[in-house]
Amino acid sequence: MPTNKLWIEHTERAAWESVSALRDKLAQAEQRMARLAPPREGWAALLDELDAAKTRQGLPDGSYAALIRGLLERMTELEARASASLEQRERVQEVQVQSVPARIAWERDSDPALSALDDDDRESSFLRAVSRRARAQGQEAGRTTLDGLLAEIEAKVDVLAESQEPEIPEISVDLAALSLRLEALARRRPRE
């Protein structure tokens, strides 16, 4: 029977590739089995942890597979609730941020009593707006560092450089409030 040398080489190469692929699959399966089967002393600790989690989470009795499924479902539910809560918090903060400029603009521009005030009263009104804004910023930011406040001021100055005229009063109140917080933090710093 005549044989073709190229056909024999092709067949041998295909056989070795099949053997290599099977060896890789076998190695992966062995690694997976090793991960699923901790040492004998590891089982007791693992099962104790699962029982404790079952008690803490108030899950019903059943197989450990059912317990793990229940824990995974609980984790998925908590992740979804956390995500929804974070989205809601972001929406509330966005509404609050949008409402502050409107409030200040109303106080300053829409109130005829404020527009009729002399310069001293305008300064007092501006200082009150700055004080309120600084308190609001401080509550939102929590404890801030000097470097963090300086970075916020630099960012606000950059925004000011690109702003249109109607936005400038609002940004100036923000800058003044940040400066007020920076001054207060710098005075407190040597004592700390």
Side-chain angles (χ1 to χ4, degrees):
M1 174 172 164
T3 56
N4 184 341
K5 185 177 180 180
L6 292 175
W7 182 81
I8 292 173
E9 287 177 11
H10 171 72
T11 306
E12 285 177 352
R13 188 177 311 118
W16 277 113
E17 288 174 0
S18 296
V19 168
S20 295
L22 288 172
R23 284 182 180 162
D24 289 343
K25 281 190 173 188
L26 180 62
Q28 289 174 354
E30 287 174 349
Q31 288 174 350
R32 186 171 185 204
M33 290 301 293
R35 285 192 311 261
L36 288 175
R40 184 177 298 221
E41 62 275 0
W43 279 109
L46 177 65
L47 296 177
D48 289 342
E49 288 295 322
L50 284 173
D51 288 335
K54 175 178 63 173
T55 304
R56 277 194 313 267
Q57 297 298 321
L59 296 171
D61 288 334
S63 69
Y64 284 110
L67 173 62
I68 292 171
R69 273 193 298 279
L71 288 171
L72 290 173
E73 289 170 3
R74 180 72 50 98
M75 186 176 73
T76 303
E77 174 188 324
L78 290 174
E79 286 175 346
R81 286 177 34 197
S83 176
S85 176
L86 182 61
E87 289 173 9
Q88 181 181 8
R89 180 177 173 214
E90 289 172 354
R91 283 193 303 266
V92 167
Q93 285 178 341
E94 187 176 309
V95 167
Q96 288 174 342
V97 167
Q98 290 173 354
S99 66
V100 169
R103 239 185 2 252
I104 290 175
W106 177 82
E107 288 176 358
R108 187 184 59 241
D109 299 332
S110 301
D111 190 351
L114 283 178
S115 61
L117 297 176
D118 61 14
D119 288 344
D120 288 341
D121 291 333
R122 284 182 193 267
E123 289 174 5
S124 297
S125 174
F126 175 77
L127 291 175
R128 282 193 303 272
V130 168
S131 178
R132 282 192 300 268
R133 182 72 56 90
R135 280 194 303 271
Q137 289 173 352
Q139 291 171 352
E140 292 174 7
R143 185 166 178 83
T144 307
T145 64
L146 287 172
D147 291 335
L149 281 172
L150 287 172
E152 285 185 61
I153 289 172
E154 288 175 359
K156 198 56 83 168
V157 168
D158 291 342
V159 169
L160 181 63
E162 300 172 4
S163 297
Q164 301 297 322
E165 189 171 328
E167 301 166 332
I168 291 174
E170 198 58 40
I171 296 170
S172 68
V173 172
D174 282 339
L175 275 170
L178 288 168
S179 298
L180 183 65
R181 289 177 52 214
L182 180 65
E183 185 269 343
L185 185 61
R187 284 184 188 266
R188 246 190 347 250
R189 194 82 189 252
R191 289 187 229 139
E192 293 180 346

